[in-house]
Amino acid sequence: MTPITAATAPVLPGATIGVLGGGQLGRMFAMAARRLGYRVHTLSPDHDTPTGQIADLEVFASYDDIGKVRDFARGVDVVTFEFENVPAAAAAVAAEHAPVRPSGRALEIAQHRIREKTFLVQHGLPVAPFAPIRQAADLDPALAMIGRPSVLKAAALGYDGKGQARLDATTDALEAWRSLGEPEAVLEQFVDLDREISVIGARGVDGGWSYFGPIENVHRNHILDVSTAPADLAAPLAAQAIEATKAVMDGLEYVGILCVEFFVTRGGQVLINELAPRPHNSGHLTSDACRTSQFEQQLRAICGLPLGSPELLQPAAMANLLGDVWSQGTPNWAAALRYPEIKLHLYGKSQPRSGRKMGHLTAMGASAADARRLVLAAREALGGSSR
Ligand code: AMP
């Protein structure tokens, strides 16, 4: 039996969890944590954040303000993230005062595409062919190796397709790289996609693990649009994705929740696209459709509690509500809520900008296709103004 030490002793209800980041992932985490009797503090460079509206304490500070991050960590029993682009120095200073889960090392790898892909290759895990770009002179040899079409992706601070440029037969690669601001980047082969899936893994302090998925994801304009579970996927491919997720988490000695996004190619390959070291948009349906949500699972994992059952109780689908849904005025909430299978989640954001994630709908159905049909019909019904 593993001896219980200060590093492995469970953090029990009544304790205080510190969340770095203030978005909707932290909000739904805070809801789960408060339900279980924890206190939640959040730190982010914004006021009245989705997480802050639920937390016991909202600290307004830059992640670079090491003094503020230190004070924040002193006031909590464990630190976690809902946003991966926290500087390594902030995670390191927090770790001097409280366990940081997942670790700063996991965060550093997952927040930088060159480090991430290098880690995956070193662990024998499948990724699309890629080459690192650190300077203009790297572009031609990289193109010779990877070919076209390919995608140039900024190594850091990219999400939802931001910081990416597709290189087709005639695209000027140097111009494309300059248009991204000449960042460190990867040049990645454009893969012939059959579908995209994700597996959301949870790994505890004792190395115990559990997973949700595979979940099937459809993107629109590079932003997740609809997720369904279970994914419509051959069992051997699902098994490969699950195994790869476990290998990533074991390789990182990870504690917490990590989402692995995969490409499934038409040729039947399962390739890792990227890692998200936190709960993930594709896992939002777990809140309504699984015995334990991804947020409660994050809480259990970082607190050293037994992981909950991830069982999918019924096929489910989730549709994102972006700010665009507000383009004709206030969405017709009543029309969507008339569906008995629909759950509405809103994140407390007051400015519905185009492309901004404002909320989501979840539906449960007799099959994943049925749930998908319902959730899309409910989202469609929002279109008419309720005024
Ligand atoms: P990412 O930010 O890397 O997750 O990319 C956003 C979306 O762009 C992905 O979910 C895919 O739909 C698409 N995409 C990114 N990289 C590739 C690729 N190498 N081949 C095909 N589609 C891609």
Side-chain angles (χ1 to χ4, degrees):
M1 235 174 85
T2 318
I4 295 181
T5 64
T8 59
V11 177
L12 295 172
T16 303
I17 318 280
V19 181
L20 293 177
Q24 63 269 17
L25 301 176
R27 177 186 184 87
M28 290 181 269
F29 170 81
M31 286 172 165
R34 293 198 67 162
R35 181 164 55 78
L36 270 87
Y38 289 86
R39 291 182 172 274
V40 178
H41 294 181
T42 174
L43 180 146
S44 82
D46 285 302
H47 289 291
D48 189 30
T49 60
T51 310
Q53 291 165 13
I54 306 295
D56 297 84
L57 177 71
E58 180 175 44
V59 176
F60 169 72
S62 157
Y63 303 115
D64 295 315
D65 187 336
I66 294 302
K68 289 254 175 69
V69 173
R70 184 188 299 282
D71 288 346
F72 179 76
R74 276 196 185 120
V76 303
D77 297 292
V78 57
V79 172
T80 192
F81 305 91
E82 70 94 52
F83 169 75
E84 63 263 45
N85 291 315
V86 169
V93 82
E96 291 171 19
H97 302 282
V100 173
R101 296 172 179 161
S103 68
R105 173 178 170 254
L107 219 61
E108 262 194 286
I109 290 174
Q111 69 190 192
H112 191 276
R113 288 187 197 268
I114 299 177
R115 289 199 286 270
E116 180 175 277
K117 286 180 190 293
T118 306
F119 166 87
L120 294 170
V121 170
Q122 281 168 351
H123 285 75
L125 293 162
V127 296
F130 76 98
I133 307 294
R134 295 193 172 87
Q135 51 190 6
D138 295 336
L139 283 167
D140 280 345
L143 271 169
M145 191 169 101
I146 303 301
R148 299 169 185 255
S150 46
V151 198
L152 192 58
K153 298 182 175 180
L157 301 176
Y159 65 98
D160 290 345
K162 292 188 173 65
Q164 298 193 12
R166 184 173 156 145
L167 305 187
D168 289 313
T170 58
T171 317
D172 182 323
L174 184 60
E175 227 167 74
W177 185 60
R178 287 196 172 136
S179 75
L180 298 179
E182 305 186 11
E184 270 197 302
V186 293
L187 181 72
E188 188 178 294
Q189 192 176 90
F190 199 77
V191 304
D192 191 13
L193 279 182
D194 175 39
R195 60 195 63 212
E196 294 183 70
I197 59 166
S198 53
V199 175
I200 298 172
R203 190 170 179 279
V205 175
D206 62 357
W209 104 291
S210 171
Y211 63 91
F212 301 96
I215 297 162
E216 189 162 339
N217 303 315
V218 175
H219 295 79
R220 196 200 281 180
N221 300 327
H222 293 278
I223 302 176
L224 182 64
D225 186 37
V226 176
S227 293
T228 45
D232 179 15
L233 194 68
L237 300 184
Q240 281 176 39
I242 293 162
E243 232 171 77
T245 304
K246 180 161 194 315
V248 169
M249 295 185 88
D250 286 342
L252 290 171
E253 296 177 35
Y254 198 91
V255 177
I257 285 273
L258 174 125
C259 176
V260 184
E261 293 181 64
F262 296 90
F263 297 139
V264 181
T265 70
R266 281 188 210 280
Q269 277 183 299
V270 176
L271 306 174
I272 296 182
N273 170 21
E274 62 183 356
L275 312 178
R278 49 169 171 75
H280 191 256
N281 195 165
S282 63
H284 288 358
L285 55 77
T286 63
S287 291
D288 298 309
C290 292
R291 205 173 281 287
T292 307
S293 74
Q294 62 170 347
F295 303 104
E296 181 178 338
Q297 202 72 307
Q298 178 185 14
L299 177 77
R300 288 173 178 239
I302 66 167
C303 288
L305 296 173
L307 297 178
S309 161
E311 183 190 356
L312 182 68
L313 300 170
Q314 223 187 322
M318 183 280 322
N320 266 339
L321 302 178
L322 302 183
D324 311 67
V325 172
W326 276 251
S327 62
Q328 304 298 317
T330 304
N332 189 347
W333 302 124
L337 291 170
R338 260 179 217 117
Y339 288 80
E341 305 87 349
I342 290 289
K343 294 288 182 188
L344 170 65
H345 299 252
L346 292 170
Y347 307 150
K349 299 179 184 178
S350 54
Q351 298 296 324
R353 289 191 295 275
S354 171
R356 189 175 195 206
K357 291 177 180 172
M358 301 295 291
H360 66 270
L361 296 170
T362 316
M364 265 82 64
S367 65
D370 185 39
R372 184 169 193 281
R373 185 184 54 74
L374 283 164
V375 85
L376 291 179
R379 188 169 66 179
E380 190 64 33
L382 293 175
S385 172
S386 61
R387 289 172 299 178

